[in-house]
Amino acid sequence: MPDITLSSRDRFRYWAYYIPFLTWFPQYQLSWFRGDALAAITVASLYIPMCFSFAILGKVEPVNGLYAFIVHPFIYSLLGSSPQMIVGPEATGSLMVGAIIHQVQTTASGDQPGFVGENAHISGVATAIAGAMLLSAGLARIGFVDSVLNRPFMQGFIAGVGFVLVVEQAIPELALSQLVEEAGIAHSSSIVKLWFLLTHLNKAHFLTALISICSLGFILATRFVQKSLRAEYPSVSLFPDRLLVIIVTTTLTAKLALQDRGLDILGSLGSSTSSIPTLRWPLQSMDEIEMVFSTSFLIALLGFFESSVTAKSLRPPKDALQATSLSANRELIALGAANMVGGGFCTLPAFGGFGRSKLNAQTGGTTPMSSMLLSLISLLCVFFVLPYLYYVPRAVLSAMASAVGISMMEECPHEIRFFLKVRGWGELFLMAAVFLATALYSMSLGITVGILITLYNLVKHSTRSRIRVLGRVPGTKHAFEDADLAPDGDRFDHTLIVRIPEPLTFANVGDLRTRLGRFGRYGTHAVHPSLPRIRIEDRCLIFDVQGLTEIDACGIQIMTEIVQEHTANGTQVMFCRLRPGDVMENFRISGIIDICGGPKYFVDSVDDALRIAGMEK
């Protein structure tokens, strides 16, 4: 027996595979630090202000959004397998946390939810539960789930969330929150709120609306200019438009005392010492777990999918770092651990973001050190920046969130045009169904509808047998192909040749029997089963099973019954191109070989089977 004892070097490699920090940190070079530092500063200047907007969506204090940029990037830099991905809060997850807080507080007391400590605790519970789900999935090695959520599903949902986000944030942008509460539609669908907005525009607060419109207009105009000039002037992407908006509006508010004119501001966020993040176990009771469980599952599912897409899109320079291989299971563990720890600090859920990760790569970030530096910068902001946020208008943060919502809807028209071009009606239906369910009712319903339609398509695809009736290719002697694709090909009287090009499992073996019966009656699957039989009884049934590389117990059972039924009716059953191995052994154990008449009816080619059947000389 060979010696499998691992050396100390092998053990280190083993642990380094699961803790990538042990791989990249020893080979880190100071020459990379400048690029990582520049990338971290750039990402911080553009995306830390957005943390405050995400906190508005999540109905927690802005500092809790900032905590997510302290904890999550640092944990991910230790465990993540994508060196350039930046982990942080996202609009979708934040909005879903806000929906949980809305529901919990309404059920508990009916009071209007506000920026209170209890909200932060609920956010921490949701984040920790989402992280626990991802960590468990990673340990169970089920990273393949990211292939279940396809692009039409995601685009429909993201566009729907963007629509919801724009409508929701239009209410504080126009200072109509109190009227919405008085009208009793605070928990209604986005369509109801949109109609309310359109019919109550005359009651908007002029100063708040003006600042919101100017802020949103500036951000959108800047984005348009950046897109136009990015190809020729790549550095234009580094312009900190959102940071500039916050600085200008905060300065104007403080100098002109606009809060005295009805402009709602953030107010005191606490002293630097009171804002230091402290770790505590977020889960206090089973009731808390139950109230956030379903939404946390959706947050985890969507967050992992977005992170997976982002990680696959990043290609670090070859001379930067010996990159660890990207692994879906290790990504699950890294994201799960980051969110579990983040939940202890009452952060918002955080995952890999495409925009900030691309920006990190474009500005010189090549290693996870940029994530560590981003965490450090965010921590310094907690100590030195929070006191200066007193006069930040809430309407400006809402306008920044609306800009995110608009960007979430921008990709949808491109996807629609593409699927119209290729006539992808099923994909268009899925996208429309998810969008309408999300926009007209709720995000939970949108996810549910998308998952149900996707699972239906998945089950339908996996249970459909792909067996084909073969006919001889015209003008050849030994070539056979799908008879439906070559209707002028040679077919054989009293003999049916069927190709099984795939493994047989419990999922598709039932459809095998159904389709085989239709082939026996009509010689094709294109005829409706209500028509009378057009084929006479076959004297020979030949299975070409070269693609039958695997068969489970249910498949063996059904195949045995099929062979028994045909031999009982006087039909000779033969198999060709069945290679020695597990499948052949299963045929022997089940008795199929004996039922067919012995090994002589298991041949190497269709030609040999036809000669035995008397159809060839």
Side-chain angles (χ1 to χ4, degrees), residues 277-282 340-345:
T278 55
L279 180 65
R280 64 174 181 172
W281 181 245
M340 285 194 69
V341 176
F345 290 99

Side-chain angles (χ1 to χ4, degrees), residues 37 42 66 93 156 272 301 307 356 370 446 491:
T42 304
L66 189 55
S272 1
L301 192 66
S307 300
R356 57 174 169 258
S370 60
R491 301 201 189 193

Side-chain angles (χ1 to χ4, degrees), residues 50 302 312 360 363 386 415 514:
M50 293 184 66
L302 292 172
K312 292 175 183 177
N360 177 57
T363 53
L386 289 183
E415 298 290 329
T514 302

